[in-house]
Amino acid sequence: MLGKNHIVTSEACALGLAVTLLNPLKSIESIPLLQIIRVEVMNHFFDLGFSHIYLQAAIIFALVYFGALLPDIDSNTSILGRYVHLPLEHRGFTHSFYFLLPFLIIGYFNAYVLWIAFGIFTHLLMDSFSYAGNCWFNYKTGYIRYGSGAIVKKKHLFKLYRVGKVSEGFVVAIVIVLNLLLVYIAFKK
């Protein structure tokens, strides 16, 4: 997925998550255990150390934006990779669960890092639906490498879009619509 589309899908998902946590669906409120989990997750995600809602939203937006671009730091042609580049194989370590894991662990103690982890997670998730796929755990041996330089996940089943093609735009549009629908349902009640 192109960097701009990683940003858009990550921000749409962050909006959907934030609204759902702040204004839960009735089905979640009716189940006490889910309500307890929601409150704990909400307290953790929004523990940024201050209560000004607009400043908090701006900071969350920036952190998710950064996290959405971070896995492509292994490509010197990516939005972030043009400025800070790790000389690693593209779709290798930075596109694996092992790259995400330290952000999740630190994010357990720090809400700022948790929002970066959310951006990374949505990036990896969206890449999983491309024609090339994404190897979350076996990034060294999980790809077929072609002479043209293309790499494709072995036995990849969920091929929803090709990078830079119209199909990518459709996937982005679907993610946006689903998250806006979630926002609408949350505020409708």
Side-chain angles (χ1 to χ4, degrees):
M1 183 169 278
L2 298 175
K4 63 183 179 181
N5 290 330
H6 276 302
I7 293 166
V8 170
T9 55
S10 293
E11 296 296 354
C13 291
L15 175 66
L17 175 67
V19 167
T20 303
L21 289 174
L22 294 172
N23 196 9
L25 304 174
K26 288 183 182 182
S27 59
I28 292 175
E29 289 181 330
S30 65
I31 303 170
L33 179 61
L34 288 180
Q35 181 64 7
I36 291 169
I37 292 170
R38 182 196 71 81
V39 169
E40 287 301 315
V41 171
M42 183 181 77
N43 289 340
H44 196 70
F45 262 101
F46 295 102
D47 184 22
L48 299 179
F50 52 90
S51 60
H52 192 280
I53 190 73
Y54 297 114
L55 182 58
Q56 211 172 27
I59 289 172
I60 289 169
F61 179 85
L63 294 170
V64 171
Y65 187 104
F66 177 70
L69 296 176
L70 198 55
D72 282 338
I73 200 168
D74 60 1
S75 171
N76 60 2
T77 59
S78 71
I79 294 171
L80 193 57
R82 288 180 219 155
Y83 304 102
V84 180
H85 174 65
L86 288 179
L88 302 171
E89 184 176 21
H90 185 57
R91 289 206 180 216
F93 174 73
T94 62
H95 281 72
S96 72
F97 177 74
Y98 309 112
F99 180 71
L100 174 63
L101 187 60
F103 290 93
L104 290 173
I105 292 169
I106 296 168
Y108 181 79
F109 303 101
N110 183 308
Y112 292 97
V113 178
L114 190 58
W115 283 108
I116 294 171
F118 184 80
I120 294 169
F121 172 77
T122 55
H123 180 119
L124 300 180
L125 182 65
M126 295 311 298
D127 275 357
S128 296
F129 297 113
S130 72
Y131 265 69
N134 191 36
C135 294
W136 287 67
F137 296 101
N138 57 341
Y139 65 92
K140 289 192 182 265
T141 61
Y143 291 109
I144 298 170
R145 287 158 172 55
Y146 294 98
S148 65
I151 59 170
V152 178
K153 180 181 175 185
K154 294 177 183 174
K155 299 180 184 177
H156 182 44
L157 301 175
F158 302 107
K159 300 175 182 178
L160 296 183
Y161 72 90
R162 289 188 187 274
V163 176
K165 302 294 183 192
V166 174
S167 56
E168 181 177 348
F170 283 128
V171 170
V172 171
I174 289 168
V175 170
I176 292 169
V177 167
L178 288 176
N179 280 285
L180 289 177
L181 183 63
L182 193 60
V183 170
Y184 173 76
I185 291 169
F187 280 115
K188 186 179 177 191
K189 62 176 191 161

